[in-house]
Coordinates of all heavy atoms in Angstrom, one line a residue:
R178 N 62.3 -62.5 -11.4 CA 61.3 -62.0 -10.3 C 60.1 -62.9 -10.3 O 59.5 -63.2 -9.2 CB 61.0 -60.6 -10.6 CG 61.3 -59.6 -9.5 CD 60.9 -58.2 -9.6 NE 60.0 -57.8 -10.5 CZ 60.4 -56.8 -11.5 NH1 61.6 -56.4 -11.5 NH2 59.5 -56.4 -12.3
T179 N 59.5 -63.2 -11.5 CA 58.3 -63.7 -11.6 C 58.3 -65.3 -11.5 O 57.2 -65.8 -11.4 CB 57.6 -63.3 -12.9 OG1 58.4 -63.6 -13.9 CG2 57.3 -61.8 -12.8
R180 N 59.4 -65.9 -11.8 CA 59.5 -67.3 -11.7 C 59.7 -67.8 -10.2 O 60.2 -67.0 -9.4 CB 60.7 -67.9 -12.5 CG 60.2 -68.1 -13.9 CD 61.4 -68.7 -14.5 NE 61.2 -68.7 -15.9 CZ 62.2 -68.7 -16.8 NH1 63.4 -68.6 -16.4 NH2 61.9 -68.7 -18.1
N181 N 59.4 -69.1 -10.1 CA 59.7 -69.7 -8.9 C 61.2 -70.0 -8.7 O 61.6 -71.0 -8.2 CB 59.0 -71.0 -8.5 CG 57.5 -70.7 -8.5 OD1 57.2 -69.7 -7.9 ND2 56.7 -71.7 -8.9
T182 N 62.0 -69.3 -9.5 CA 63.4 -69.6 -9.6 C 64.3 -68.7 -8.8 O 64.0 -67.4 -8.8 CB 63.8 -69.3 -11.1 OG1 62.9 -70.0 -11.9 CG2 65.2 -69.9 -11.3
D183 N 65.2 -69.2 -7.9 CA 66.0 -68.5 -7.2 C 67.3 -68.0 -8.1 O 67.4 -68.4 -9.2 CB 66.4 -69.1 -5.9 CG 67.3 -70.2 -6.1 OD1 67.8 -70.4 -7.1 OD2 67.4 -70.9 -5.0
V184 N 68.2 -67.3 -7.4 CA 69.3 -66.7 -8.3 C 70.1 -67.9 -8.8 O 70.8 -67.6 -9.9 CB 70.2 -65.8 -7.4 CG1 69.5 -64.4 -7.3 CG2 70.4 -66.4 -6.1
D185 N 70.2 -69.0 -8.2 CA 71.1 -70.1 -8.9 C 70.3 -70.9 -9.9 O 70.8 -71.9 -10.3 CB 71.5 -71.0 -7.7 CG 72.3 -70.3 -6.7 OD1 73.1 -69.4 -7.1 OD2 72.2 -70.5 -5.5
G186 N 69.1 -70.5 -10.3 CA 68.3 -71.2 -11.2 C 67.7 -72.4 -10.7 O 67.6 -73.5 -11.4
V187 N 67.3 -72.4 -9.4 CA 66.6 -73.5 -8.9 C 65.1 -73.3 -8.9 O 64.6 -72.2 -8.3 CB 67.1 -73.8 -7.5 CG1 66.4 -75.0 -7.0 CG2 68.6 -74.2 -7.5
I188 N 64.3 -74.2 -9.4 CA 62.9 -74.0 -9.4 C 62.4 -75.0 -8.4 O 62.7 -76.3 -8.5 CB 62.2 -74.3 -10.7 CG1 62.8 -73.5 -11.8 CG2 60.6 -74.2 -10.7 CD1 62.4 -73.9 -13.2
S189 N 61.6 -74.7 -7.4 CA 61.1 -75.7 -6.5 C 59.6 -75.6 -6.2 O 59.1 -74.6 -6.2 CB 61.9 -75.7 -5.2 OG 61.9 -74.4 -4.7
V190 N 59.0 -76.8 -6.1 CA 57.6 -76.9 -5.8 C 57.5 -77.9 -4.7 O 57.9 -79.1 -4.9 CB 56.9 -77.4 -7.1 CG1 55.4 -77.8 -6.7 CG2 57.0 -76.3 -8.2
N191 N 57.0 -77.6 -3.6 CA 56.8 -78.4 -2.4 C 57.9 -79.3 -2.0 O 57.8 -80.5 -1.8 CB 55.6 -79.4 -2.8 CG 54.3 -78.6 -2.9 OD1 54.1 -77.4 -2.6 ND2 53.2 -79.3 -3.2
G192 N 59.1 -78.7 -2.2 CA 60.3 -79.4 -1.8 C 60.9 -80.2 -2.9 O 62.1 -80.8 -2.7
L193 N 60.3 -80.2 -4.1 CA 61.0 -80.9 -5.2 C 61.7 -79.8 -6.0 O 61.1 -78.8 -6.4 CB 59.8 -81.5 -6.1 CG 60.3 -82.2 -7.4 CD1 61.1 -83.4 -7.2 CD2 59.0 -82.5 -8.3
A194 N 63.0 -79.9 -6.2 CA 63.8 -78.8 -6.7 C 64.4 -79.3 -8.1 O 65.1 -80.3 -8.1 CB 64.8 -78.4 -5.7
L195 N 64.3 -78.3 -9.0 CA 64.9 -78.6 -10.3 C 66.0 -77.6 -10.4 O 65.7 -76.4 -10.3 CB 64.0 -78.4 -11.5 CG 63.3 -79.6 -12.0 CD1 62.2 -80.0 -11.1 CD2 62.7 -79.3 -13.4
E196 N 67.3 -78.0 -10.7 CA 68.4 -77.1 -11.0 C 68.5 -77.0 -12.5 O 69.0 -77.9 -13.2 CB 69.7 -77.6 -10.3 CG 69.5 -77.7 -8.8 CD 70.8 -78.3 -8.2 OE1 71.8 -78.4 -8.9 OE2 70.7 -78.7 -7.0
T197 N 68.1 -75.7 -13.0 CA 68.0 -75.6 -14.4 C 69.4 -75.5 -15.1 O 69.6 -75.8 -16.2 CB 67.2 -74.4 -14.8 OG1 67.7 -73.3 -14.2 CG2 65.8 -74.6 -14.4
E198 N 70.5 -75.1 -14.3 CA 71.7 -75.0 -14.9 C 72.5 -76.3 -15.0 O 73.2 -76.5 -16.0 CB 72.6 -74.0 -14.1 CG 71.8 -72.8 -13.7 CD 72.3 -71.5 -14.3 OE1 73.5 -71.2 -14.2 OE2 71.5 -70.8 -14.9
T199 N 72.2 -77.1 -14.0 CA 73.0 -78.4 -13.9 C 72.2 -79.6 -14.3 O 72.6 -80.7 -14.4 CB 73.5 -78.7 -12.5 OG1 72.4 -78.6 -11.6 CG2 74.5 -77.6 -12.1
F200 N 70.8 -79.4 -14.6 CA 69.8 -80.5 -14.9 C 69.7 -81.5 -13.9 O 69.6 -82.7 -14.1 CB 70.3 -81.0 -16.2 CG 70.0 -80.2 -17.4 CD1 71.1 -79.4 -17.9 CD2 68.8 -80.2 -18.1 CE1 70.9 -78.5 -18.9 CE2 68.6 -79.3 -19.2 CZ 69.7 -78.4 -19.6
R201 N 69.9 -81.0 -12.6 CA 69.7 -81.9 -11.5 C 68.4 -81.8 -10.8 O 67.8 -80.6 -10.8 CB 70.8 -81.7 -10.4 CG 72.1 -82.3 -10.9 CD 73.0 -82.6 -9.7 NE 73.1 -81.4 -8.8 CZ 73.8 -81.3 -7.7 NH1 74.7 -82.4 -7.5 NH2 73.8 -80.3 -7.0
V202 N 67.9 -82.9 -10.2 CA 66.6 -82.8 -9.5 C 67.0 -83.3 -8.0 O 67.7 -84.2 -8.0 CB 65.4 -83.6 -10.0 CG1 64.3 -83.7 -9.2 CG2 65.1 -83.2 -11.5
T203 N 66.6 -82.5 -7.0 CA 66.8 -82.9 -5.7 C 65.6 -82.9 -4.8 O 64.7 -82.1 -5.1 CB 68.0 -82.0 -5.1 OG1 67.5 -80.6 -5.1 CG2 69.2 -82.2 -5.8
V204 N 65.6 -83.7 -3.8 CA 64.5 -83.7 -2.8 C 65.4 -83.7 -1.4 O 66.1 -84.6 -1.2 CB 63.6 -84.8 -2.8 CG1 62.7 -84.8 -1.7 CG2 62.9 -84.9 -4.2
D205 N 65.2 -82.7 -0.6 CA 65.9 -82.6 0.6 C 67.4 -82.8 0.3 O 68.1 -83.4 1.1 CB 65.5 -83.7 1.6 CG 64.1 -83.4 2.1 OD1 63.6 -82.2 2.1 OD2 63.3 -84.3 2.5
E206 N 67.9 -82.1 -0.7 CA 69.3 -82.1 -1.0 C 69.9 -83.4 -1.5 O 71.1 -83.7 -1.7 CB 70.2 -81.5 0.1 CG 70.0 -80.1 0.3 CD 70.7 -79.5 1.4 OE1 71.5 -80.2 2.0 OE2 70.6 -78.2 1.7
Q207 N 68.9 -84.4 -1.7 CA 69.2 -85.8 -2.1 C 69.0 -85.7 -3.6 O 68.0 -85.3 -4.1 CB 68.3 -86.8 -1.5 CG 68.7 -88.1 -1.4 CD 67.7 -89.1 -0.8 OE1 66.8 -88.7 -0.1 NE2 67.9 -90.4 -1.2
I208 N 70.0 -86.2 -4.4 CA 69.9 -86.2 -5.9 C 69.0 -87.3 -6.4 O 69.1 -88.4 -6.0 CB 71.3 -86.3 -6.5 CG1 72.1 -85.1 -6.2 CG2 71.0 -86.5 -8.0 CD1 73.5 -85.0 -6.7
V209 N 68.0 -86.9 -7.2 CA 67.1 -87.9 -7.8 C 67.6 -88.3 -9.2 O 67.9 -87.4 -10.0 CB 65.8 -87.2 -8.0 CG1 64.7 -88.1 -8.6 CG2 65.1 -86.8 -6.6
E210 N 67.9 -89.5 -9.4 CA 68.2 -89.9 -10.7 C 67.2 -89.8 -11.7 O 66.1 -90.3 -11.6 CB 68.7 -91.5 -10.6 CG 69.8 -91.9 -9.8 CD 71.1 -91.4 -10.4 OE1 71.2 -91.4 -11.6 OE2 72.1 -91.1 -9.7
I211 N 67.6 -89.0 -12.8 CA 66.5 -88.7 -13.7 C 67.2 -88.5 -15.1 O 68.4 -88.0 -15.3 CB 65.8 -87.4 -13.4 CG1 64.5 -87.3 -14.3 CG2 66.7 -86.2 -13.4 CD1 63.6 -86.2 -13.7
S212 N 66.6 -89.1 -16.2 CA 67.1 -89.0 -17.6 C 66.9 -87.5 -18.1 O 66.0 -86.9 -17.6 CB 66.5 -90.0 -18.4 OG 65.1 -89.6 -18.8
P213 N 67.6 -87.2 -19.1 CA 67.5 -85.8 -19.7 C 66.1 -85.7 -20.2 O 65.5 -84.5 -20.0 CB 68.4 -85.8 -20.9 CG 69.5 -86.8 -20.4 CD 68.8 -87.9 -19.8
T214 N 65.4 -86.6 -20.8 CA 64.1 -86.4 -21.3 C 63.1 -86.2 -20.2 O 62.2 -85.4 -20.3 CB 63.7 -87.6 -22.2 OG1 64.5 -87.7 -23.3 CG2 62.2 -87.4 -22.8
E215 N 63.2 -87.1 -19.2 CA 62.3 -86.9 -18.0 C 62.6 -85.5 -17.3 O 61.6 -84.9 -16.8 CB 62.5 -88.0 -17.0 CG 61.6 -89.2 -17.2 CD 62.2 -90.1 -18.4 OE1 63.1 -90.8 -18.2 OE2 61.5 -90.0 -19.4
F216 N 63.8 -85.1 -17.3 CA 64.1 -83.8 -16.7 C 63.3 -82.7 -17.5 O 62.7 -81.8 -17.0 CB 65.6 -83.5 -16.7 CG 65.9 -82.1 -16.1 CD1 66.2 -82.0 -14.8 CD2 65.8 -81.0 -16.8 CE1 66.4 -80.8 -14.2 CE2 66.1 -79.7 -16.2 CZ 66.4 -79.6 -14.9
R217 N 63.3 -82.8 -18.9 CA 62.8 -81.7 -19.7 C 61.2 -81.8 -19.5 O 60.6 -80.7 -19.5 CB 63.1 -81.9 -21.2 CG 64.6 -81.8 -21.4 CD 64.9 -81.2 -22.8 NE 64.3 -81.9 -23.9 CZ 64.7 -83.1 -24.4 NH1 65.9 -83.5 -24.0 NH2 64.1 -83.6 -25.4
L218 N 60.7 -83.0 -19.4 CA 59.3 -83.2 -19.2 C 58.8 -82.5 -17.9 O 57.9 -81.8 -17.8 CB 59.0 -84.6 -19.3 CG 57.5 -85.2 -19.5 CD1 56.8 -84.5 -20.6 CD2 57.5 -86.7 -19.6
L219 N 59.6 -82.9 -16.9 CA 59.4 -82.4 -15.6 C 59.4 -80.9 -15.5 O 58.6 -80.1 -14.9 CB 60.2 -83.1 -14.5 CG 60.0 -82.5 -13.0 CD1 58.5 -83.0 -12.5 CD2 61.0 -83.3 -12.1
H220 N 60.5 -80.3 -16.1 CA 60.7 -78.8 -16.2 C 59.5 -78.2 -16.9 O 59.0 -77.2 -16.4 CB 62.0 -78.6 -16.9 CG 62.3 -77.1 -17.0 ND1 61.7 -76.2 -17.8 CD2 63.2 -76.4 -16.2 CE1 62.2 -75.0 -17.6 NE2 63.1 -75.2 -16.6
F221 N 59.1 -78.8 -18.0 CA 57.9 -78.2 -18.8 C 56.7 -78.2 -17.8 O 56.0 -77.1 -17.6 CB 57.6 -78.9 -19.9 CG 56.4 -78.4 -20.7 CD1 56.4 -77.2 -21.4 CD2 55.2 -79.0 -20.6 CE1 55.3 -76.7 -22.0 CE2 54.0 -78.5 -21.1 CZ 54.2 -77.3 -21.9
F222 N 56.4 -79.3 -17.2 CA 55.3 -79.4 -16.2 C 55.4 -78.4 -15.1 O 54.4 -77.6 -14.8 CB 55.1 -80.8 -15.6 CG 54.4 -81.7 -16.6 CD1 55.0 -83.0 -16.8 CD2 53.3 -81.4 -17.2 CE1 54.2 -83.9 -17.5 CE2 52.6 -82.4 -17.9 CZ 53.1 -83.6 -18.2
I223 N 56.5 -78.3 -14.5 CA 56.7 -77.4 -13.3 C 56.5 -76.0 -13.7 O 56.0 -75.1 -12.9 CB 58.0 -77.7 -12.6 CG1 57.8 -78.8 -11.6 CG2 58.6 -76.4 -11.8 CD1 59.0 -79.1 -10.7
T224 N 56.9 -75.6 -14.8 CA 56.8 -74.2 -15.3 C 55.5 -73.9 -16.0 O 55.2 -72.7 -16.3 CB 58.0 -73.8 -16.2 OG1 58.1 -74.8 -17.3 CG2 59.4 -73.8 -15.4

Side-chain angles (χ1 to χ4, degrees):
R178 243 188 359 246
T179 53
R180 270 187 192 153
N181 293 328
T182 311
D183 67 15
V184 280
D185 300 320
V187 180
I188 306 171
S189 48
V190 172
N191 295 354
L193 177 67
L195 262 77
E196 298 177 12
T197 56
E198 316 251 304
T199 56
F200 291 89
R201 283 199 316 185
V202 175
T203 59
V204 176
D205 294 333
E206 292 178 1
Q207 204 184 337
I208 293 175
V209 177
E210 290 290 331
I211 191 164
S212 77
T214 303
E215 270 74 76
F216 181 92
R217 297 211 309 276
L218 192 54
L219 181 59
H220 184 279
F221 177 76
F222 276 134
I223 276 189
T224 52

